[in-house]
Amino acid sequence: MYVAASILSADFGRLNDEINAVCDAGADLIHIDVMDGHFVPNLTIGPCVLNAIQKAAKVPLDVHLMVEDVDFFIDLFLPLKPKFLSFHIERATHPLRLIEKIRKAGINPAIVLNPHTNLNTLEYILSELDMVLLMSVNPGFGGQKFITSALEKIANLREMIDKSGAKCLIEVDGGITGANIAEIELAGADVVVAGSFIFGSQSYTQAIKALKI
């Protein structure tokens, strides 16, 4: 299991130290939620802050765009070259065009599905993706409780990927803890995003270790 540490739950007053700490503790990715205050009721960071995070991080960046104007934000973040750049299928008019643009920039394209979004939306684009991010909470805020129906969705997506022969990872974001990680792994996830479970713990190393089963 790969662990993406979500800085949404970090102490932003000590962001450089927090990033260094989770990298040293064993995080595989730094997960960054970009929120525009429209698609979700929260506003987070822009490319200037992301550029600073990139300089501090010792592991690759995993950027999740929670935005209305997907095209605009993709163009805004492409120059920063994160490892993964994901956008919501719910706001993409021409997802294949965006996937191609991200890949041409040398970045791994990923698509995000909200808890209520049907997996059928991926039917004709799955083979073009490097990762699918399934939200296991309603996006916008950290510290929410895991929606248990996400387990069935993870398992169904795992079956869908295996049957199609696609080579994309399954990432799960929202309410991930040491108590539910075994179920999430069993369902077929490859990557988990954890924020409050890591940054709210006494030991980042032990929290990350608990997720790497």
Side-chain angles (χ1 to χ4, degrees):
M1 183 68 70
Y2 296 101
V3 175
S6 173
I7 64 162
L8 188 62
S9 299
D11 180 350
F12 274 49
R14 301 175 48 252
L15 193 52
N16 188 75
D17 293 339
E18 292 276 65
I19 291 168
N20 282 327
V22 290
C23 289
D24 291 342
D28 301 292
L29 298 163
I30 298 294
H31 186 85
I32 300 161
D33 292 308
V34 176
M35 306 182 190
D36 64 354
H38 297 284
F39 180 62
V40 292
N42 200 357
L43 190 65
T44 54
I45 66 175
C48 293
V49 178
L50 185 61
N51 187 48
I53 293 169
Q54 194 169 48
K55 291 175 181 177
K58 303 168 189 174
V59 298
L61 303 187
D62 174 26
V63 177
H64 173 192
L65 300 178
M66 302 185 193
V67 298
E68 288 279 356
D69 193 341
V70 178
D71 297 65
F72 171 79
F73 277 90
I74 285 176
D75 287 340
L76 197 62
F77 283 89
L78 282 182
L80 296 174
K81 303 283 186 181
K83 182 174 179 64
F84 292 99
L85 184 59
S86 59
F87 61 91
H88 278 258
I89 191 70
E90 298 89 358
R91 286 298 178 268
T93 305
H94 302 289
L96 277 174
R97 184 182 299 165
L98 296 176
I99 291 165
E100 183 180 0
K101 179 186 284 191
I102 293 169
R103 192 176 296 284
K104 281 186 175 180
I107 300 166
N108 298 96
I111 274 186
V112 193
L113 273 64
N114 277 336
H116 68 276
T117 304
N118 199 298
L119 291 176
N120 290 342
T121 58
L122 299 173
E123 186 175 359
Y124 298 107
I125 58 176
L126 197 57
S127 62
E128 306 299 323
L129 295 168
D130 288 333
M131 188 164 71
V132 175
L133 169 52
L134 297 180
M135 295 302 301
S136 45
V137 297
N138 290 302
F141 298 95
Q144 299 184 66
K145 186 178 178 181
F146 183 83
I147 297 173
T148 56
S149 61
L151 291 170
E152 181 181 0
K153 195 172 186 180
I154 297 165
N156 289 340
L157 177 57
R158 178 82 276 157
E159 182 179 5
M160 189 176 174
I161 290 171
D162 292 345
K163 282 185 176 180
S164 70
K167 303 297 181 183
C168 65
L169 300 169
I170 298 176
E171 184 175 41
V172 183
D173 182 1
I176 310 295
T177 70
N180 58 25
I181 187 62
E183 291 179 295
I184 293 165
E185 190 274 338
L186 185 62
D190 304 294
V191 187
V192 289
V193 179
S196 56
F197 180 71
I198 295 173
F199 289 102
S201 70
Q202 294 297 313
S203 168
Y204 295 174
T205 300
Q206 290 302 313
I208 292 171
K209 184 178 179 181
L211 299 176
K212 288 194 170 190
I213 61 172

